Amino acid sequence: MSGKTACFTIAGLAMLGTISQTAAGGRAVECYEPVRTPAIYDTVYEDVMVSPPGQQVDYVAPIYGTRERVVMTVPPQVTYEVVPAVTRTVYRTVRVDDGGYSWEWRVIHGRKVLCKIRHKARYERVAETVVIQPERTRRVVIPAQYDSIAEEVLVQPEQRQVIDVPASYNTVARRVLIREGSSGWRRVHIPRHCQD
Protein backbone atom coordinates (compact mmCIF):
# COMPACT_ATOMS: atom_id res chain seq x y z
CA MET A 1 0.00 0.00 0.00
CA SER A 2 1.37 3.43 -0.96
CA GLY A 3 1.73 6.30 1.49
CA LYS A 4 -1.02 8.24 -0.19
CA THR A 5 -3.45 5.35 0.09
CA ALA A 6 -2.67 5.11 3.83
CA CYS A 7 -3.41 8.82 4.28
CA PHE A 8 -6.77 8.46 2.60
CA THR A 9 -7.57 5.51 4.83
CA ILE A 10 -6.83 7.51 8.01
CA ALA A 11 -8.83 10.46 6.82
CA GLY A 12 -11.69 8.16 5.86
CA LEU A 13 -11.76 6.60 9.30
CA ALA A 14 -11.69 10.00 10.98
CA MET A 15 -14.80 11.08 9.17
CA LEU A 16 -16.58 7.71 9.12
CA GLY A 17 -20.31 7.99 9.01
CA THR A 18 -20.31 11.51 7.53
CA ILE A 19 -20.80 12.56 3.97
CA SER A 20 -18.48 15.36 2.95
CA GLN A 21 -16.54 16.62 0.11
CA THR A 22 -13.60 14.50 1.16
CA ALA A 23 -15.61 11.35 0.61
CA ALA A 24 -16.70 12.74 -2.68
CA GLY A 25 -13.10 13.14 -3.76
CA GLY A 26 -12.53 16.76 -2.60
CA ARG A 27 -9.53 18.04 -0.68
CA ALA A 28 -9.57 17.66 3.15
CA VAL A 29 -8.89 20.91 4.88
CA GLU A 30 -9.57 19.90 8.55
CA CYS A 31 -10.50 16.59 10.11
CA TYR A 32 -12.09 15.77 13.52
CA GLU A 33 -12.85 12.61 15.39
CA PRO A 34 -15.42 12.12 18.13
CA VAL A 35 -13.89 11.94 21.61
CA ARG A 36 -15.56 10.57 24.74
CA THR A 37 -13.92 11.48 28.03
CA PRO A 38 -15.05 9.10 30.79
CA ALA A 39 -16.13 10.35 34.20
CA ILE A 40 -13.51 10.13 36.95
CA TYR A 41 -14.50 8.63 40.28
CA ASP A 42 -12.62 8.20 43.53
CA THR A 43 -13.29 6.35 46.76
CA VAL A 44 -13.44 8.43 49.93
CA TYR A 45 -13.65 7.08 53.47
CA GLU A 46 -15.64 8.83 56.13
CA ASP A 47 -16.77 8.12 59.67
CA VAL A 48 -20.51 7.64 60.01
CA MET A 49 -22.28 7.71 63.38
CA VAL A 50 -23.86 4.32 64.03
CA SER A 51 -25.39 5.16 67.40
CA PRO A 52 -25.59 8.56 69.13
CA PRO A 53 -24.07 9.19 72.57
CA GLY A 54 -26.27 8.41 75.57
CA GLN A 55 -26.40 7.16 79.12
CA GLN A 56 -26.86 3.69 80.56
CA VAL A 57 -28.21 3.14 84.07
CA ASP A 58 -27.04 0.06 85.95
CA TYR A 59 -29.43 -0.88 88.77
CA VAL A 60 -28.60 -3.22 91.64
CA ALA A 61 -31.60 -4.24 93.75
CA PRO A 62 -31.42 -3.77 97.54
CA ILE A 63 -30.37 -6.73 99.69
CA TYR A 64 -32.39 -7.63 102.77
CA GLY A 65 -31.58 -9.98 105.62
CA THR A 66 -33.22 -11.31 108.79
CA ARG A 67 -32.14 -10.29 112.26
CA GLU A 68 -33.42 -11.57 115.57
CA ARG A 69 -34.29 -8.99 118.17
CA VAL A 70 -35.52 -9.32 121.76
CA VAL A 71 -38.57 -7.18 122.43
CA MET A 72 -40.71 -6.60 125.50
CA THR A 73 -44.11 -8.23 125.03
CA VAL A 74 -45.53 -7.56 128.51
CA PRO A 75 -44.34 -4.55 130.53
CA PRO A 76 -43.48 -4.92 134.22
CA GLN A 77 -46.41 -4.65 136.64
CA VAL A 78 -46.75 -3.73 140.31
CA THR A 79 -49.46 -5.32 142.44
CA TYR A 80 -50.21 -5.39 146.15
CA GLU A 81 -51.23 -8.43 148.12
CA VAL A 82 -52.34 -8.89 151.69
CA VAL A 83 -50.09 -11.05 153.79
CA PRO A 84 -52.16 -12.61 156.57
CA ALA A 85 -51.10 -12.31 160.16
CA VAL A 86 -48.85 -14.93 161.64
CA THR A 87 -50.45 -16.48 164.71
CA ARG A 88 -49.73 -19.23 167.20
CA THR A 89 -51.99 -21.20 169.45
CA VAL A 90 -50.98 -20.99 173.09
CA TYR A 91 -52.48 -23.24 175.75
CA ARG A 92 -52.82 -22.05 179.33
CA THR A 93 -54.71 -23.00 182.46
CA VAL A 94 -57.33 -20.56 183.63
CA ARG A 95 -59.61 -20.59 186.61
CA VAL A 96 -63.13 -20.85 185.37
CA ASP A 97 -64.77 -21.05 188.79
CA ASP A 98 -63.56 -19.46 192.01
CA GLY A 99 -65.20 -22.13 194.14
CA GLY A 100 -66.84 -21.01 197.43
CA TYR A 101 -69.76 -22.25 199.44
CA SER A 102 -73.22 -23.47 198.63
CA TRP A 103 -76.10 -25.01 200.52
CA GLU A 104 -77.56 -28.32 199.58
CA TRP A 105 -79.71 -30.99 201.11
CA ARG A 106 -78.13 -34.21 202.13
CA VAL A 107 -79.23 -37.30 203.95
CA ILE A 108 -76.94 -38.12 206.82
CA HIS A 109 -77.74 -41.12 209.12
CA GLY A 110 -81.16 -41.31 207.67
CA ARG A 111 -81.95 -37.74 208.31
CA LYS A 112 -82.36 -35.01 205.79
CA VAL A 113 -80.14 -32.12 206.68
CA LEU A 114 -79.13 -28.87 205.06
CA CYS A 115 -75.40 -28.67 204.73
CA LYS A 116 -73.03 -25.90 203.82
CA ILE A 117 -70.74 -27.27 201.15
CA ARG A 118 -67.34 -25.80 200.33
CA HIS A 119 -66.36 -25.95 196.66
CA LYS A 120 -62.78 -25.78 195.37
CA ALA A 121 -61.77 -23.47 192.59
CA ARG A 122 -62.09 -25.04 189.12
CA TYR A 123 -59.47 -24.69 186.41
CA GLU A 124 -59.51 -25.54 182.73
CA ARG A 125 -56.88 -25.68 179.96
CA VAL A 126 -57.86 -23.26 177.22
CA ALA A 127 -56.35 -22.49 173.82
CA GLU A 128 -55.54 -18.91 172.88
CA THR A 129 -54.44 -17.57 169.54
CA VAL A 130 -51.50 -15.19 169.80
CA VAL A 131 -50.54 -12.84 166.92
CA ILE A 132 -46.82 -13.10 166.25
CA GLN A 133 -46.78 -10.89 163.15
CA PRO A 134 -49.77 -8.74 162.25
CA GLU A 135 -51.42 -8.69 158.84
CA ARG A 136 -49.64 -6.49 156.29
CA THR A 137 -49.75 -5.38 152.64
CA ARG A 138 -46.83 -6.42 150.46
CA ARG A 139 -45.77 -4.78 147.18
CA VAL A 140 -45.20 -7.38 144.44
CA VAL A 141 -43.32 -6.54 141.21
CA ILE A 142 -44.08 -8.80 138.24
CA PRO A 143 -41.12 -8.63 135.84
CA ALA A 144 -41.55 -7.80 132.18
CA GLN A 145 -41.80 -10.59 129.64
CA TYR A 146 -39.56 -10.67 126.59
CA ASP A 147 -39.73 -12.60 123.32
CA SER A 148 -37.29 -13.01 120.45
CA ILE A 149 -38.68 -11.93 117.09
CA ALA A 150 -37.21 -12.02 113.60
CA GLU A 151 -37.34 -8.83 111.58
CA GLU A 152 -36.30 -7.91 108.06
CA VAL A 153 -33.43 -5.44 107.85
CA LEU A 154 -31.76 -3.67 104.95
CA VAL A 155 -28.25 -5.03 104.41
CA GLN A 156 -27.34 -3.05 101.30
CA PRO A 157 -29.48 -0.27 99.75
CA GLU A 158 -30.27 -0.17 96.08
CA GLN A 159 -27.53 1.17 93.85
CA ARG A 160 -27.83 3.12 90.63
CA GLN A 161 -24.85 3.95 88.46
CA VAL A 162 -25.12 6.18 85.42
CA ILE A 163 -22.59 5.33 82.71
CA ASP A 164 -21.94 7.69 79.81
CA VAL A 165 -21.93 5.76 76.55
CA PRO A 166 -20.00 7.54 73.78
CA ALA A 167 -21.25 7.70 70.22
CA SER A 168 -20.36 4.77 68.02
CA TYR A 169 -18.83 5.40 64.60
CA ASN A 170 -18.04 3.21 61.65
CA THR A 171 -15.84 3.95 58.66
CA VAL A 172 -17.62 3.53 55.33
CA ALA A 173 -16.31 3.82 51.79
CA ARG A 174 -18.18 6.03 49.35
CA ARG A 175 -17.59 6.45 45.62
CA VAL A 176 -17.64 10.11 44.59
CA LEU A 177 -17.57 11.78 41.20
CA ILE A 178 -14.50 13.93 40.72
CA ARG A 179 -15.08 14.95 37.13
CA GLU A 180 -18.01 14.24 34.88
CA GLY A 181 -17.49 12.53 31.55
CA SER A 182 -17.82 14.60 28.39
CA SER A 183 -18.29 14.18 24.68
CA GLY A 184 -16.62 16.28 21.98
CA TRP A 185 -14.53 16.42 18.91
CA ARG A 186 -10.80 16.30 18.60
CA ARG A 187 -8.95 17.63 15.63
CA VAL A 188 -7.06 15.02 13.65
CA HIS A 189 -3.73 16.03 12.20
CA ILE A 190 -3.52 15.11 8.54
CA PRO A 191 -0.03 14.87 7.04
CA ARG A 192 0.58 17.38 4.32
CA HIS A 193 1.22 14.82 1.62
CA CYS A 194 -2.22 13.31 2.41
CA GLN A 195 -3.97 16.54 1.59
CA ASP A 196 -3.14 16.26 -2.16
Side-chain angles (χ1 to χ4, degrees):
M1 179 182 293
S2 65
K4 193 169 186 177
T5 304
C7 290
F8 282 123
T9 303
I10 295 172
L13 290 175
M15 299 301 291
L16 185 63
T18 62
I19 300 174
S20 64
Q21 289 183 352
T22 304
R27 181 185 174 195
V29 179
E30 290 182 354
C31 297
Y32 295 88
E33 65 177 343
V35 177
R36 172 70 182 168
T37 304
I40 299 175
Y41 293 88
D42 195 6
T43 301
V44 295
Y45 297 90
E46 59 184 358
D47 290 334
V48 177
M49 183 185 295
V50 178
S51 61
Q55 288 184 331
Q56 176 183 342
V57 179
D58 284 346
Y59 172 76
V60 178
I63 300 174
Y64 292 91
T66 302
R67 178 181 65 186
E68 286 195 356
R69 186 165 62 94
V70 177
V71 295
M72 180 189 298
T73 54
V74 179
Q77 298 177 354
V78 177
T79 61
Y80 295 89
E81 64 180 16
V82 176
V83 179
V86 177
T87 61
R88 186 176 64 185
T89 301
V90 178
Y91 295 91
R92 63 190 179 92
T93 302
V94 295
R95 185 168 59 184
V96 295
D97 190 351
D98 292 336
Y101 297 92
S102 66
W103 293 91
E104 62 181 42
W105 291 97
R106 291 189 176 182
V107 176
I108 300 175
H109 303 294
R111 295 188 316 183
K112 184 178 179 181
V113 293
L114 184 62
C115 299
K116 184 178 182 179
I117 306 298
R118 181 177 177 274
H119 299 283
K120 293 181 180 179
R122 189 164 51 91
Y123 297 88
E124 288 184 1
R125 183 178 173 85
V126 296
E128 183 180 3
T129 302
V130 179
V131 176
I132 298 175
Q133 184 174 335
E135 179 183 281
R136 62 190 175 90
T137 302
R138 183 175 65 178
R139 182 174 181 266
V140 179
V141 177
I142 301 174
Q145 296 180 14
Y146 296 88
D147 284 328
S148 179
I149 63 171
E151 62 181 0
E152 188 178 57
V153 293
L154 179 65
V155 176
Q156 178 179 305
E158 69 175 34
Q159 296 179 354
R160 294 175 183 265
Q161 184 178 8
V162 179
I163 301 173
D164 291 326
V165 179
S168 176
Y169 294 89
N170 196 7
T171 302
V172 296
R174 186 166 59 89
R175 189 172 174 81
V176 295
L177 177 67
I178 295 178
R179 190 176 66 190
E180 293 184 358
S182 62
S183 300
W185 296 91
R186 182 174 60 185
R187 186 173 183 177
V188 179
H189 175 70
I190 302 175
R192 186 173 183 82
H193 62 273
C194 292
Q195 296 178 3
D196 295 336

